[in-house]
Amino acid sequence: MQKLLERLIEKHLPTTRYGKCAEYIPVLAEQDPSQLGITVVTKDQKVYQAGRFPKRFTLQSISKVIALMLAVMDNGDRKVFSKVGMEPTGDPFNSIYNMEMMKWKKPLNPMINAGALVVTSLIKGRTAREKAGRIIRLIEEMTGSKEIEVDEEVFRSEYETAHRNRALAHLLKELNLIDRVEETLEAYLLQCSIQVTCEDLAKIGLCLARYGQTFDNRMVIPVYVSRMAKTFMVTCGMYNESGEFAIKVGIPAKSGVSGGILASVPMEMGIGVFGPALNEKGNSIGGVALLEDLSRELDLSIF
Ligand code: DON
C-alpha cells in the first residue's frame, strides 16, 4: 500500500499544475497549489501516508456531511428532510438559481450551500459557537483527536466575503426555512473553518465505512445515519461532478474548496486527500485523479 500511494502521488503531482486554488476566500488563495497528499486508514487500523501537505487544513464543504449527521441525530430525519431535499443538482454548489425559481420550496439537498445552511440551523445549540462546538465534538469522537478547532483567520476571511451565502440565507429566511440569518451564517462559516489533518479525514471515512463504528471500535453514529451520509456523498458529494466521479472512482466522497476530500470505502478503509489546486467544478484536481487510479488499482468501486 505504501509503495502504491507513493507511486500515485508521484504520477499525479504534475496534474496539480492544471488547477487553481479557491480565489474567493483570500486565505485559501494563498495556499501552495503544487501540494498533493493522501492518508489511508484501513479496517485493521493501519495508517499509510504519502505526499506533501500542511499538518492542518480547513474542512470547508466536507463539514456538510458532519453537520447533516448531527442535525439528523438531533432532530430525526423526518424533520430535517421536511426542510431540505434529497436530490442531486447539476448547478454549482453556491447557486442561487434554484432557490429563486421557487419550484421546490426547499433546497435540493444538504450538500449545496442553501441546503447546508438549513441543516446547520437545525443543529441544537443556543449560539453559533455552541453549534460549531458540537460539530467539533462529533469529529473528535469519530477521530479520537482532541485537537480539533476553528481556524479563526479563515473564519474571519470567509465572514467578511460571504455575500452570496448571506444572500442565500436571506432567501431561506423568506421561505421560512431558517429563523436567524446571521447566527445561521456564522455557524455555517465556523463549521467550514474547522481544521483537520489528513489522518482525521481518513478516520472519519473509516468510521462511515464501518457504519458508525470508529477505528478503535466505539459506536458513535447510528447505522442509518452513516448510511445516509455515504449515500449523499455518492449522489451529491462532489457537487456537479458527482456523476462522473461515481463512474470513474465509485467511492462515496465529499470535497471542499480548501482542497480536501473525504472518502469512505465500505467495510474496508477511510481515505483523506489534500490538494488545494481545484478543477473548474471546485474539486481537488490532483485528488480526483489520485482517487481514480487508487480505486482502479485496488478495485474499490462500490458498484
Ligand atoms: O460556502 C462556502 O463558500 C465555503 N466556505 C465552503 C464551500 C465549499 O467548500 C465548496 N466546495 N467545493
Side-chain angles (χ1 to χ4, degrees):
M1 175 73 88
Q2 185 63 37
K3 288 225 165 65
L4 170 64
L5 296 182
E6 278 163 19
R7 176 163 58 79
L8 294 184
I9 289 279
E10 192 78 11
K11 176 177 171 194
H12 289 296
L13 266 176
T15 318
T16 60
R17 279 203 296 267
Y18 301 102
K20 279 205 318 214
C21 291
E23 279 168 353
Y24 74 110
I25 304 170
V27 176
L28 298 185
E30 289 156 16
Q31 302 186 102
D32 170 4
S34 68
Q35 303 169 96
L36 186 62
I38 184 166
T39 303
V40 171
V41 182
T42 58
K43 61 179 174 195
D44 49 356
Q45 299 193 22
K46 294 221 167 63
V47 180
Y48 302 93
Q49 200 138 290
R52 196 164 62 86
F53 43 83
K55 176 124 181 70
R56 289 175 205 288
F57 48 88
T58 54
L59 277 176
Q60 295 300 332
S61 281
I62 299 169
S63 67
K64 289 167 178 159
V65 178
I66 324 283
L68 173 68
M69 292 195 290
L70 190 53
V72 171
M73 288 192 269
D74 277 354
N75 302 278
D77 51 349
R78 195 184 288 241
K79 174 154 180 202
V80 172
F81 294 108
S82 69
K83 290 172 185 278
V84 59
M86 300 184 183
E87 300 304 335
T89 163
D91 295 324
F93 66 90
N94 54 5
S95 171
I96 286 184
Y97 172 79
N98 272 323
M99 293 306 301
E100 251 292 280
M101 294 298 282
M102 301 266 278
K103 216 154 98 194
W104 288 275
K105 302 278 183 222
K106 58 184 183 184
L108 277 169
N109 68 67
M111 301 292 127
I112 54 172
N113 287 12
L117 284 160
V118 171
V119 164
T120 299
S121 77
L122 291 170
I123 291 173
K124 298 229 185 304
R126 277 165 300 144
T127 62
R129 289 274 167 183
E130 222 173 276
K131 287 175 197 273
R134 294 192 60 238
I135 297 176
I136 287 175
R137 276 194 293 285
L138 183 56
I139 297 171
E140 287 179 340
E141 282 188 10
M142 282 192 280
T143 58
S145 169
K146 287 273 167 280
E147 292 171 13
I148 310 292
E149 53 187 33
V150 166
D151 181 331
E152 296 290 341
E153 191 190 354
V154 172
F155 168 67
R156 268 196 307 281
S157 163
E158 291 221 41
Y159 198 74
E160 280 157 19
T161 54
H163 312 299
R164 183 177 275 263
N165 281 325
R166 187 170 276 110
L168 275 172
H170 278 286
L171 282 173
L172 294 167
K173 165 89 181 165
E174 188 192 50
L175 292 169
N176 269 327
L177 291 171
I178 66 168
D179 193 11
R180 292 191 285 271
V181 167
E182 280 307 311
E183 183 193 293
T184 302
L185 185 68
E186 188 185 338
Y188 168 72
L189 296 177
L190 281 168
Q191 80 181 45
C192 288
S193 309
I194 293 171
Q195 300 184 85
V196 291
T197 64
C198 233
E199 187 171 329
D200 291 331
L201 278 189
K203 284 182 174 161
I204 294 170
L206 184 63
C207 180
L208 295 176
R210 301 183 73 210
Y211 295 87
Q213 198 166 19
T214 60
F215 64 100
D216 53 356
N217 299 325
R218 290 169 293 115
M219 195 67 196
V220 294
I221 293 163
V223 172
Y224 88 99
V225 176
S226 63
R227 185 172 277 140
M228 177 192 296
K230 277 178 291 187
T231 311
F232 275 119
M233 286 161 75
V234 169
T235 56
C236 319
M238 303 299 282
Y239 297 104
N240 43 340
E241 197 179 4
S242 297
E244 191 176 338
F245 190 85
I247 299 279
K248 292 184 174 165
V249 184
I251 301 174
K254 181 77 200 84
S255 64
V257 281
S258 57
I261 302 177
L262 155 72
S264 176
V265 185
M267 296 318 286
E268 289 298 328
M269 65 181 78
I271 306 170
V273 171
F274 181 77
L278 308 178
N279 63 22
E280 71 284 357
K281 302 279 172 69
N283 296 318
S284 169
I285 193 163
V288 169
L290 188 60
L291 285 172
E292 187 179 337
D293 264 1
L294 188 68
S295 174
R296 197 174 34 241
E297 297 235 9
L298 297 179
D299 195 18
L300 299 179
S301 173
I302 64 168
F303 299 106

